[in-house]
Amino acid sequence: MSRVALVTGGSRGIGAAISVALKEAGYKVAANYAGNDEAAAKFTAETGIPTYKWSVADYDACAEGIARVEADLGPVDVLVNNAGITRDAPFHKMSRDQWQAVMDTNLSGLFNMTHPLWPGMRERKFGRVVNISSINGQKGQFGQANYSAAKAGDIGFTKALAQEGARAGITVNAICPGYIATEMVMAVPEKVRESIISTIPVGRLGDPADIARCVVFLASDDAGFITGSTITANGGQYLT
Ligand SMILES: NC(=O)c1ccc[n+]([C@@H]2O[C@H](COP(=O)([O-])OP(=O)(O)OC[C@H]3O[C@@H](n4cnc5c(N)ncnc54)[C@H](OP(=O)(O)O)[C@@H]3O)[C@@H](O)[C@H]2O)c1
């Protein structure tokens, strides 16, 4: 029987590529999103993957949303915590709202989504949790004290939870993408994009599929011995 995968922020960008790759690998996939109904409807029409709307920043909404997904598809075996936002500003101009919004989605979102699913994974003695962190959680980034802190927190969360899940057959890993050619990155002026690319040794931006392939591997039975790890997928831009 097919395993069930739930991808947060799975309707656009990197998350959409992850949802599609997991579907192609044979999973029953549910893609969560926050508010862009139009993009979600288009994604479902194009891929046949059902989308579910709630905010990962809201614990109760996560528990309710997960219950809906499980009623439709069955118990979730694979959770991909991909939803993320930016609210950039130099620290002296960063508002508390900018700080909190990024913490709530990019860090607490991992707690809110993983916590309701954890008991079921423990009972069934199988689970895969893949957390999408960032190169900027590894190296820090000007204007992103909030984002870098949250993404570094995702790595700490991954390492701690990996130790708790190991005996229960649950692996927990993180992926740190570098600059990926999503709509957001492609929308910046070509000159800026070229200057970013000049700092990437492989000479190109990442493709969402580059990250999706890492997720499919970490979700597989073949990756059962890998837990608490961080896969750095950044074209050599920052070496850890
Ligand atoms: N793009 C990059 O170069 C890059 C590099 C390193 C790491 N990352 C990380 O990779 C992940 C995906 O990034 P992306 O560039 O693909 O993002 P994106 O294109 O902006 O898509 C973000 C997705 O997350 C959803 N989302 C945002 N806030 C949410 C919330 N509170 N609850 C539920 N869903 C929410 C969005 O839903 P709506 O469609 O409803 O808005 C959308 O589906 C993020 O965690 C990001 O930090 C990205």
Side-chain angles (χ1 to χ4, degrees):
M1 219 172 76
S2 303
R3 286 184 174 144
V4 174
L6 170 54
V7 183
T8 69
S11 60
R12 286 199 292 123
I14 295 170
I18 294 170
S19 299
V20 168
L22 285 168
K23 184 181 177 192
E24 284 171 356
Y27 294 84
K28 283 194 271 177
V29 179
N32 146 272
Y33 70 103
N36 190 333
D37 297 320
E38 202 182 316
K42 186 165 175 270
F43 174 77
T44 298
E46 285 172 2
T47 65
I49 295 172
T51 47
Y52 296 81
K53 180 175 170 177
W54 74 83
S55 172
V56 300
D58 178 337
Y59 185 91
D60 292 335
C62 289
E64 284 164 25
I66 287 167
R68 269 193 287 146
V69 169
E70 293 200 323
D72 291 349
L73 304 182
V76 172
D77 305 293
V78 177
L79 169 65
V80 185
N81 283 313
N82 163 80
I85 58 169
T86 52
R87 296 287 182 272
D88 296 355
F91 190 58
H92 64 282
K93 289 187 179 163
M94 186 174 285
S95 68
R96 285 179 66 180
D97 284 351
Q98 286 173 314
W99 172 266
Q100 202 56 52
V102 169
M103 286 296 148
D104 289 348
T105 298
N106 297 11
L107 181 56
S108 298
L110 272 60
F111 174 83
N112 297 341
M113 285 300 300
T114 312
H115 197 249
L117 286 168
W118 196 249
M121 288 183 175
R122 276 165 54 90
E123 262 169 41
R124 294 187 299 277
K125 295 266 177 272
F126 181 86
R128 294 281 189 265
V129 179
V130 183
N131 299 319
I132 307 301
S133 176
S134 169
I135 184 175
N136 292 344
Q138 296 174 299
K139 71 171 188 56
Q141 177 62 35
F142 185 99
Q144 291 196 326
N146 50 2
Y147 184 87
S148 297
K151 291 294 186 181
D154 293 346
I155 295 171
F157 176 78
T158 299
K159 290 179 176 176
L161 211 54
Q163 296 177 40
E164 295 194 25
R167 286 292 165 109
I170 308 169
T171 67
V172 187
N173 291 288
I175 298 170
C176 286
Y179 283 89
I180 307 300
T182 55
E183 275 171 41
M184 188 180 68
V185 172
M186 295 312 281
V188 304
E190 198 176 340
K191 250 187 163 172
V192 178
R193 213 163 54 237
E194 288 306 322
S195 77
I196 293 172
I197 292 171
S198 71
T199 67
I200 304 174
V202 303
R204 66 169 176 90
L205 295 169
D207 190 272
D210 288 323
I211 306 307
R213 280 190 290 273
C214 297
V215 174
V216 171
F217 171 62
L218 289 173
S220 72
D221 286 331
D222 288 344
F225 199 58
I226 301 171
T227 194
S229 77
T230 300
I231 294 187
T232 294
N234 64 26
Q237 191 182 5
Y238 181 72
L239 305 176
T240 54

